[in-house]
């Protein structure tokens, strides 16, 4: 059994706004094993990115982690001071950002931006050592070494994204968070980038958290996955099992809304209604208004709660009996 | 890039010609001429007045004079001053320019530097109490009526406290037996400042290649100390030693104008920097920089402020253009006999050759500054570099 590299327990985070608190992350628990990838899927605004930002505590100033714990390799991150967090950022957990287009500073050369990260965490390394490291990374992600002396605007979208992966790897982090790394790219480049991430992961034995709204990508990339809805995890388990036999009505709906290339032609289904606004304090089942499987035994005033139905497989209690 | 520069130069020449013709016509549109006051003397015969006009070529029709002036201008002949005959406008500018340059170059550098630093701290500390108060103070000094404020400063520091001299750029009594002109000292001071700045700039560029940040900091500190030592030895030897006391006298007279103009001028830069930097802080790469674990100071200076520099540099270059004509007010209030006073005098007394020469000087400065602005953009923002090539 590989060791647990990142363990998140009962994490709660909200944004304080003028109209009230937005509960973006509610009672989230999951574990990432060393060398494995963990997928987080859900529709836009369900709190996926908020989870990612909470891990490094990079949220906007109005965000507060109210309770819970995040343990990276046994070290508690919640409650760390800013300067302690700085040592964890990039060295412990690094992020491949959503929009590679804007993740680079337009006026600094690519090489210098990577060098800067290494310099921050390993100040003793010499210039030639750093250059060597960066060219190794570039080779790994399929970029030419000369990219180092280029400015971000001189690169194509795919190249920028590859360079971002190199940047994320530059300090040999324990965990990499890939936050929708392919959303802004066309399908061909998407596929290339995904392969690149996979290859690098196998090569370096990285632990990966992959965040996406694209369930197909999650299926391809991850070993474990969690489905999020309205700030909560509604189903969590090995990816194969979740795909073969989804338990939760929302997961089912999500799978049914994705077209499949193989098999019979079926009409795609979509859920009625919209996800709830997270700003109103809701009690009870957030999914109840849209749930297609409502019946007499279902009680919408009961909060969602995950229960373990088989080893390492958790699902919202209300839907546990569905199969 | 070369084609781009050529194109721009061609445009500059045409604009300058238009500028020259228009200003000549405008000056001649002022009723009367520089010698009309002679007519007030009843003992002066009409013919004598006519002869004066002939001497200066003022009897010719306007179009002919314009033609002559433009041709002579490009031959490098700017005529003679009506009021300071036989001095030429060039003599006058050569005498006045160092005084204005020294004062206003210093004012501009100081006010932009403080403005940029204040602005960047304001944006960084957005929402704090100190931010609110400094912003309010900046808006006050940005909008204050400048001559009133300058008089207030003169009254307070010059008269009430008596710390600083009121007006003039030297104490004349100290200069009675000075072996040289004040211009010589001014030029030495300007040379020294330019060289020192250049050395500091070079040191900055060279130390950029040092990988370790602590070593880089030490190297920069050492270079700064060396520069200080160097300047100490410079002023302690050779011709500079003789000029030292006189230079100190000028520097002492410069304190109050520099201080006053800085207070008024820094606010604009500070507010501009604050606004642009707040935009930049929202950008994604600031999040990347934070995620990389960089220190707050480094994110602020290297990532946010560096990108926010562009509009600030624009406004800096356009302020350089206004050094000379903008100096009119300051020089009048502080009785600083520089270019500003020369412009004012020549216009009010219809000393057309001098007025034309000073205005063309300002015009050339403006055009060159615009030109430099375009080139410095290309340096600061690599994205522009590509566009101008294509």
């Amino acid at each position: 059994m590989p060791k647990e590299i990142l363990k998140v327990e009962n994490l709660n985070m909200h944004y304080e706004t003028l109209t009230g608190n937005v509960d973006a992350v509610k009672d989230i628990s999951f574990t990432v094993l060393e060398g494995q990838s963990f997928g987080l899927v859900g529709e836009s605004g369900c709190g996926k990115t908020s989870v990612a930002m909470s891990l490094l505590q990079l949220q906007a100033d109005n965000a507060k982690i109210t309770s819970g714990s995040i343990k990276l390799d046994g070290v508690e991150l919640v409650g760390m001071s800013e300067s302690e967090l700085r040592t964890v950022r990039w060295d412990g957990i690094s992020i491949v950002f959503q929009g590679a287009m804007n993740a680079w500073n337009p006026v600094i050369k690519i090489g210098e931006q990577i060098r800067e990260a290494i310099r921050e965490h390993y100040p003793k390394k010499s210039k030639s050592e750093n250059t060597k490291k960066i060219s190794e990374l570039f080779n790994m992600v399929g970029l030419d070494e000369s990219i180092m002396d280029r400015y971000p605007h001189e690169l194509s979208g795919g190249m920028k994204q590859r360079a971002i992966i190199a940047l994320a790897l530059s300090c040999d982090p324990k965990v990499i968070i890939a936050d929708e790394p392919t959303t802004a790219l066309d399908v061909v480049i998407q596929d290339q980038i995904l392969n690149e991430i996979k290859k690098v992961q196998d090569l370096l034995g990285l632990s990966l958290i992959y965040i996406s709204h694209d369930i197909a990508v999650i299926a391809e990339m991850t070993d474990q996955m969690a489905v999020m809805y309205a700030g909560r995890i509604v189903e969590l388990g090995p990816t194969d099992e979740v795909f073969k036999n989804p338990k939760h009505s929302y997961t089912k709906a999500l799978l049914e809304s994705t077209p499949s290339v193989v098999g019979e032609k079926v009409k795609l289904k979509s859920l009625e209604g919209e996800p709830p606004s997270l700003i109103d304090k809701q009690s009870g089942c957030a999914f109840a208004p849209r749930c297609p499987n409502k019946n007499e035994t279902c009680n919408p005033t009961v909060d969602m709660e995950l229960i373990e139905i088989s080893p390492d497989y958790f699902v919202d209690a209300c839907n546990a009996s569905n199969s | 890039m070369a084609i781009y520069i050529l194109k721009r130069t061609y445009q500059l020449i045409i604009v300058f010609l238009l500028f020259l013709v228009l200003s000549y016509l405008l000056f001649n549109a002022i009723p009367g001429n520089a010698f009309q006051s002679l007519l007030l003397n009843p003992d002066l015969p009409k013919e004598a007045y006519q002869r004066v006009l002939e001497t200066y070529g003022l009897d010719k029709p306007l179009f002919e004079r314009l033609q002559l002036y433009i041709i002579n201008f490009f031959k490098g002949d700017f005529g003679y001053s009506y009021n300071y005959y036989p001095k030429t406008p060039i003599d006058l500018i050569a005498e006045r320019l160092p005084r204005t340059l020294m004062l206003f170059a210093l004012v501009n550098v100081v006010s932009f530097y403080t403005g940029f630093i204040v602005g960047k701290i304001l944006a960084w500390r957005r929402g704090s109490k100190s931010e609110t108060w400094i912003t309010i103070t900046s808006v006050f000094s940005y909008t204050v009526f400048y001559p009133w404020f300058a008089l207030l400063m003169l009254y307070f520091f010059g008269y009430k406290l008596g710390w600083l001299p009121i007006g003039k750029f030297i104490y004349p009594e100290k200069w009675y037996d000075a072996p040289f002109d004040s211009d010589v000292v001014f030029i030495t001071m300007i040379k020294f400042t330019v060289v020192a700045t250049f050395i500091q700039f070079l040191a900055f560029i060279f130390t950029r290649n040092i990988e370790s940040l602590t070593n880089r900091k030490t190297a920069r500190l050492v270079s700064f100390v060396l520069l200080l030592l160097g300047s100490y030895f410079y002023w302690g030897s050779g011709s500079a030693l003789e000029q030292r006391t006189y230079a100190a006298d000028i520097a002492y007279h410069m304190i109050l104008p520099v201080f006053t103009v800085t207070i008024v001028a820094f606010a604009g830069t500070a507010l501009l920097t604050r606004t642009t930097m707040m935009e930049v802080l929202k950008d994604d790469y600031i999040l990347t920089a934070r995620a990389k674990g960089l220190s707050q100071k480094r994110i602020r200076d290297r990532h946010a402020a560096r990108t926010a520099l562009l509009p600030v540099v624009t406004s800096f270059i356009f302020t350089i253009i206004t050094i000379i004509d903008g100096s009119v007010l300051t020089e009048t209030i502080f009785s600083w006999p520089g270019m500003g006073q020369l412009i004012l005098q020549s216009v009010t007394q219809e000393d057309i050759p001098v007025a034309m020469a000073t205005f063309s000087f300002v015009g050339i400065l403006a055009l060159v500054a615009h030109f430099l602005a375009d080139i410095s953009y290309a340096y600061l923002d690599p994205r522009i570099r590509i566009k101008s090539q294509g």
Side-chain angles (χ1 to χ4, degrees), chain A residues 151-173:
Chain A
Y151 287 98
H153 68 273
E154 298 175 295
L155 272 59
S156 70
M159 283 157 96
K160 272 188 217 174
Q161 193 65 58
R162 282 165 197 265
I164 283 276
I165 296 169
L167 175 66
L169 295 170
S170 60
C171 294
D172 304 316

Side-chain angles (χ1 to χ4, degrees), chain B residues 20-236:
Chain B
L20 214 57
V21 172
L22 275 178
S23 25
Y24 195 82
L25 292 179
L26 276 174
F27 281 125
N28 280 284
I30 305 174
N33 61 51
F35 306 100
Q36 215 152 33
S37 56
L38 295 177
L39 289 177
L40 294 174
N41 184 352
D43 298 335
L44 190 85
K46 266 261 155 29
E47 303 79 61
Y49 172 69
Q50 207 55 44
R51 257 211 317 283
V52 171
L53 287 192
E54 272 166 37
T55 319
Y56 288 100
L58 283 169
D59 57 331
K60 293 199 178 80
L62 178 60
F63 186 69
E64 208 183 317
R65 271 186 286 153
L66 174 67
Q67 224 175 356
L68 264 176
Y69 185 81
I70 304 269
I71 290 166
N72 284 339
F73 186 92
F74 286 103
K75 280 185 194 157
D77 175 9
F78 305 100
Y80 293 95
S81 162
Y82 297 163
N83 291 321
Y84 296 97
Y85 190 87
K87 279 189 178 172
T88 64
I90 296 296
D91 294 336
L92 286 170
I93 291 177
E95 177 189 288
R96 302 292 188 97
L97 189 62
R99 303 176 188 164
T100 299
L101 266 189
M102 185 67 212
L103 181 64
F104 281 88
L106 194 69
V107 163
N108 267 294
V109 171
V110 170
S111 69
F112 266 90
Y113 195 67
T114 43
F116 183 61
I117 287 178
V118 169
K120 117 186 149 182
I121 292 171
L122 283 183
W124 197 250
R125 295 201 184 152
R126 175 146 176 72
S128 70
K129 257 212 179 87
S130 57
E131 192 246 347
T132 318
W133 282 109
I134 299 174
T135 308
I136 290 173
T137 322
S138 308
V139 171
F140 170 77
S141 73
Y142 186 56
T143 48
V144 73
F145 182 55
Y146 170 63
W148 171 80
F149 181 72
L151 286 176
L152 208 69
M153 294 289 281
L154 268 178
Y155 173 75
F156 194 69
F157 288 103
Y159 175 69
K160 271 278 167 187
L161 294 173
W163 290 350
L164 297 162
I166 304 177
K168 292 276 179 277
F169 69 115
I170 46 169
Y171 281 126
E173 59 269 28
K174 282 194 186 170
W175 290 70
Y176 282 147
D177 40 36
F180 33 68
D181 234 3
S182 66
D183 299 348
V184 181
V185 184
F186 266 114
I187 286 168
T188 318
M189 285 168 83
I190 290 174
K191 264 190 208 152
F192 169 75
T193 319
V194 168
V195 170
T197 318
F198 187 66
I199 291 176
Q200 186 61 28
F201 182 69
L202 277 188
F204 187 79
I205 296 284
F206 279 122
T207 49
R208 249 182 20 180
N209 283 326
I210 300 175
E211 190 73 0
S212 150
L213 284 180
T214 41
N215 287 355
R216 193 185 295 183
K217 231 183 219 166
T218 327
R220 282 185 183 166
L221 191 71
V222 168
S223 75
F224 185 67
V225 171
L226 281 178
L227 188 70
L228 282 185
L229 272 177
S231 37
Y232 177 77
F233 281 114
Y234 175 76
W235 287 106

